[in-house]
């Protein structure tokens, strides 16, 4: 990368980092001061201190990623990708991982059982998962992992350094979620012990109406009750202007052990997910995407629990591994999942008192079918034998079918599948 030959004022980076922090502090303190009269202002001072400490941690991590980077790549969409030695990624800030390196890939992976074998069609190549940053043939060297640069603007958009990289506390998996502002159209299986899930889903540039909203399509691997002990592992694609600063669909991961309260994060924003792949950037844009009445582009994801080491791995279909969630992160998911869910979710902030026009999936209802609606196909789960089996007991549910709906079926080519999504606000969804 080009650099200036003139000497730079060493105070500039410090001043540049302080300006967004002061703005962030004003935003976060405003909310705290609104309730200050209730506790004599102590709560506001406490939260301001927490914000200051959280922001310093983020700035420190950003600086370290840049310093440790072996190579820096400018993506055509504006992202900066740092190629960081794998043992220097954020996961290894965790006390239980400090000083270690990523584990070796498991020798045994889930295999299809019986007729499901005929449904496997993904090649063992990351070429089936193109991203904008690598469109020009750019790659990170072996032994490094690509990490999307976090900027001060990213933190400022969220309005809280403490909550940066985390889903809102009102988030939930589907059950009892209709009053939280999060709306779903999903298929799920429950009532058994599950050790993973797999599906192929097409990717769309869903329109999101407000920076306070998002639209995503993902797999949830779930255990625990639906109280504060909920454990989830999640992966898919999402459009989130607040988190990423644009409207591109991006590959993401998530995890929590307390129902989105204080643990877990998106992507590599905290010490959790351990990335092992040098060619996939978590949080980077997926390109190309599906076209209405045109070419469909889908991605295949597999989440599964290594029966020997106990870690939960993320794999691109039958191809390369992306990385893993260490088993010690979890309570209930330390053993197995008791529910697996597939589908879409949007945040409905009810702008102007009416339903949001934020799209789920393609923004079209499932009745329009292939080339027009979003889908999940070859929906499978991993059983206790480490085998992939069809999710034959899949139940379909939409919180508000007039806004976002879901319809499923089965055929030999797609196995268990469903179409889902919708436009949000319309005559049937005021």
């Amino acid at each position: 990368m080009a650099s200036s030959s003139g000497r730079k004022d060493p105070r500039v980076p410090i001043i540049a980092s302080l300006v967004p922090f002061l703005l962030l502090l004003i935003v976060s303190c405003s909310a705290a001061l609104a309730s200050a009269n209730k506790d004599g202002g102590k709560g506001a001072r406490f939260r301001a201190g927490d914000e200051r400490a959280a922001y310093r941690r983020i700035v420190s991590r950003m600086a370290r990623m840049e310093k440790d980077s072996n190579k820096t790549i400018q993506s055509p969409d504006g992202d900066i990708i740092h190629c960081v030695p794998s043992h220097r990624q954020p996961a290894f800030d965790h006390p239980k991982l400090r000083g270690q390196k990523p584990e070796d890939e498991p020798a045994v992976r889930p295999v299809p059982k019986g007729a499901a074998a005929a449904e496997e069609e993904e090649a063992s190549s990351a070429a089936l998962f193109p991203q904008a940053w690598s469109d020009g043939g750019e790659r990170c060297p072996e032994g490094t992992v690509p990490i999307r640069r976090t900027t001060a603007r990213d933190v400022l958009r969220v309005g809280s350094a403490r909550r940066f990289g985390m889903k809102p506390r009102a988030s939930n998996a589907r059950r009892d979620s209709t009053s939280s502002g999060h709306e779903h159209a999903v298929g799920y299986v429950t009532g058994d012990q599950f050790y993973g899930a797999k599906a192929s889903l097409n990717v769309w540039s869903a329109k999101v109406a407000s920076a306070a909203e998002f639209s995503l399509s993902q797999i949830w691997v779930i255990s625990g009750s639906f109280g504060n002990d909920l454990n989830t592992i999640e992966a898919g694609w999402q459009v989130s202007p607040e988190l990423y600063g644009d409207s591109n669909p991006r590959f993401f991961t998530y995890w929590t052990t307390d129902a989105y309260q204080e643990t877990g994060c998106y992507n590599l924003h905290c010490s959790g997910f351990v990335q092992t792949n040098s060619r996939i950037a978590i949080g980077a844009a997926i390109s190309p995407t599906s076209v209405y009445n045109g070419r469909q582009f889908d991605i295949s994801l597999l989440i599964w629990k290594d029966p020997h080491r106990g870690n939960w791995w993320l794999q691109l279909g039958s191809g390369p591994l992306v990385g893993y969630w260490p088993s010690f992160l979890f309570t209930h998911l330390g053993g197995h999942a008791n529910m697996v869910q597939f589908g879409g979710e949007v945040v409905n902030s009810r702008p102007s008192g009416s339903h949001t026009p934020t799209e789920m999936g393609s923004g079209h209802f499932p009745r329009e079918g292939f080339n027009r609606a979003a889908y999940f196909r070859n929906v499978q789960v991993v059983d206790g034998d480490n085998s992939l089996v069809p999710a034959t007991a899949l139940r379909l549910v939409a919180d508000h079918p007039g806004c976002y709906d879901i319809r499923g079926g089965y055929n030999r080519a797609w196995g268990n599948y469903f179409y889902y999504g919708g436009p949000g606000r319309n005559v049937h969804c005021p």
Side-chain angles (χ1 to χ4, degrees):
M1 295 184 66
S3 61
S4 172
S5 59
R7 294 189 65 182
K8 296 181 179 179
D9 186 341
R11 296 171 295 177
V12 170
I14 299 173
I15 295 170
S17 67
L18 283 175
V19 170
F21 169 65
L22 292 173
L23 292 173
L24 177 68
L25 199 59
I26 292 169
V27 172
S28 60
C29 284
S30 296
L33 287 170
S35 61
N37 290 335
K38 296 180 181 179
D39 57 9
K42 294 178 182 178
R45 290 194 297 271
F46 176 75
R47 283 184 283 273
D50 279 357
E51 288 294 331
R52 186 164 54 248
Y55 186 78
R56 285 172 175 167
R57 285 195 297 271
I58 294 170
V59 170
S60 175
R61 185 166 62 237
M62 292 189 312
R64 193 180 77 238
M65 292 299 104
E66 187 166 358
K67 179 182 178 182
D68 290 343
S69 178
N70 289 349
K71 179 180 181 181
T72 299
I73 299 169
Q74 173 74 61
S75 175
D77 62 358
D79 282 356
I80 302 294
I81 304 297
H82 293 303
C83 302
V84 177
S86 58
H87 66 284
R88 299 287 291 169
Q89 64 182 290
F92 292 97
D93 292 338
H94 196 288
K96 291 188 176 181
L97 292 177
R98 201 165 289 149
Q100 301 182 33
K101 295 182 178 180
E103 291 191 1
D104 293 336
E105 296 184 353
V108 179
R109 305 184 189 184
V111 294
K113 182 179 288 184
E119 298 170 352
E120 294 299 306
E121 57 188 51
E122 300 89 4
S124 298
S125 171
L128 289 180
F129 199 97
Q131 293 184 294
W133 72 277
S134 57
D135 274 352
E138 290 281 9
R139 293 288 185 270
C140 280
E142 288 297 321
T144 69
V145 294
I147 298 179
R148 179 180 179 268
R149 176 187 288 176
T150 296
T151 68
R153 287 185 178 182
D154 293 335
V155 184
L156 184 60
R157 280 193 307 272
V158 176
S160 169
R162 288 184 64 245
R163 298 294 302 176
F164 177 70
M166 303 176 73
K167 285 189 175 183
R169 287 190 175 94
S171 299
N172 210 330
R174 164 51 191 59
R175 187 177 295 177
D176 300 328
S177 65
T178 53
S179 63
S180 68
H182 291 245
E183 298 184 15
H184 302 78
V186 298
Y188 69 94
V189 291
T190 189
D192 204 346
Q193 295 183 1
F194 304 105
Y195 296 86
K198 182 181 181 182
S200 296
L201 54 156
N202 56 348
V203 181
W204 296 86
S205 296
K207 293 182 176 62
V208 174
S210 161
E213 300 177 343
F214 63 65
S215 179
L216 59 77
S217 298
Q218 66 170 64
I219 299 173
W220 291 259
V221 176
I222 303 166
S223 194
S225 70
F226 280 76
N228 288 338
D229 67 339
L230 185 73
N231 287 203
T232 74
I233 287 172
E234 308 171 27
W237 63 265
Q238 70 176 160
V239 177
S240 177
E242 181 179 80
L243 184 61
Y244 303 106
D246 60 27
S247 297
N248 294 323
R250 293 173 176 272
F251 176 49
F252 81 94
T253 63
Y254 201 87
W255 66 276
T256 180
T257 63
D258 62 357
Y260 308 98
Q261 299 303 302
E262 300 295 336
T263 65
C265 64
Y266 279 113
N267 308 333
L268 303 179
H269 287 305
C270 66
S271 302
F273 186 81
V274 179
Q275 184 161 345
T276 58
N277 193 302
S278 63
R279 299 180 65 185
I280 299 295
I282 303 173
I286 302 172
S287 177
T289 59
S290 298
V291 178
Y292 185 80
N293 267 337
R295 182 185 176 217
Q296 300 301 289
F297 177 79
D298 65 21
I299 60 177
S300 182
L301 301 176
L302 168 62
I303 299 170
W304 57 282
K305 186 176 177 64
D306 176 15
H308 300 293
R309 304 282 298 190
N311 299 321
W312 290 86
W313 284 82
L314 175 60
Q315 184 173 334
L316 300 181
S318 301
L321 297 172
V322 180
Y324 62 91
W325 293 269
S327 60
F328 66 74
L329 293 174
F330 304 100
T331 52
H332 299 293
L333 279 174
H336 56 80
N338 56 25
M339 184 178 185
V340 173
Q341 186 169 278
F342 311 81
E345 176 186 1
V346 300
V347 172
N348 173 25
S349 63
R350 297 194 63 81
S352 304
S354 57
H355 195 284
T356 181
T358 286
E359 298 175 343
M360 180 188 292
S362 69
H364 293 262
F365 285 113
R367 61 175 177 266
E368 296 193 38
F370 187 66
N371 277 351
R372 300 177 180 87
Y375 62 74
F376 275 70
R377 62 182 177 87
N378 298 125
V379 178
Q380 301 170 74
V381 296
V382 180
D383 66 13
D385 295 327
N386 204 34
S387 297
L388 281 162
V389 296
T392 53
L394 193 69
R395 302 177 187 176
L396 306 181
V397 61
D399 290 339
H400 298 288
C403 308
Y404 314 106
D405 205 1
I406 186 166
R407 294 185 181 183
Y410 174 86
N411 62 42
R412 290 180 61 85
W414 278 21
N416 293 95
Y417 71 88
F418 59 82
Y419 291 99
Y420 69 101
R425 184 192 307 161
N426 66 86
V427 293
H428 302 292
C429 177

